[in-house]
Amino acid sequence: MKIAKLTAAALVIAATAGSAFAQGPTGSPADYGNAVASANADRKIDLQSGVHNVTVTNGDTVEFTNGSDSVIWHFDTFPGQTVVDLSAIAPKLNAQGVRVFVRENPLYQG
């Protein structure tokens, strides 16, 4: 009986262990962070001024505006995910050709 309980416990642990580990990049906007409804942005960037490249630091929260449209994005990237087209994470801004370069945050380094 004791062996059956241990076996059952081991199976439960084995079945759930995979979900305890972080997933890798998926090719979706979530690889770069997430849009936040309302937050205190670290920076505000107006795209109407002809911006083509933006550099942010991983962990920054940035408000991007283009006319009356606005998106607040919190950058939270995987290691090695350093460049993203703004149109991929904030399509409503109509920001084709604007690239965001994400620097590593020294606070996140081991």
Side-chain angles (χ1 to χ4, degrees), residues 13-28:
I13 291 169
T16 59
S19 63
F21 297 104
Q23 299 295 316
T26 62
S28 72

Side-chain angles (χ1 to χ4, degrees), residues 87-101:
S87 61
I89 61 174
K92 84 174 199 173
L93 292 178
N94 195 23
Q96 285 75 22
V98 178
R99 297 181 71 184
V100 180
F101 295 87

Side-chain angles (χ1 to χ4, degrees), residues 34-81:
N34 59 304
V36 291
S38 177
N40 292 328
D42 299 311
R43 298 170 53 192
K44 184 174 182 176
I45 298 172
D46 181 6
L47 300 173
Q48 287 189 326
S49 61
V51 172
H52 295 289
N53 297 306
V54 176
T55 302
V56 301
T57 299
N58 194 19
D60 282 355
T61 301
V62 179
E63 180 177 1
F64 295 97
T65 60
N66 193 3
S68 62
D69 291 325
S70 174
V71 171
I72 303 172
W73 190 266
H74 176 74
F75 287 90
D76 185 12
T77 64
F78 288 96
Q81 302 290 97

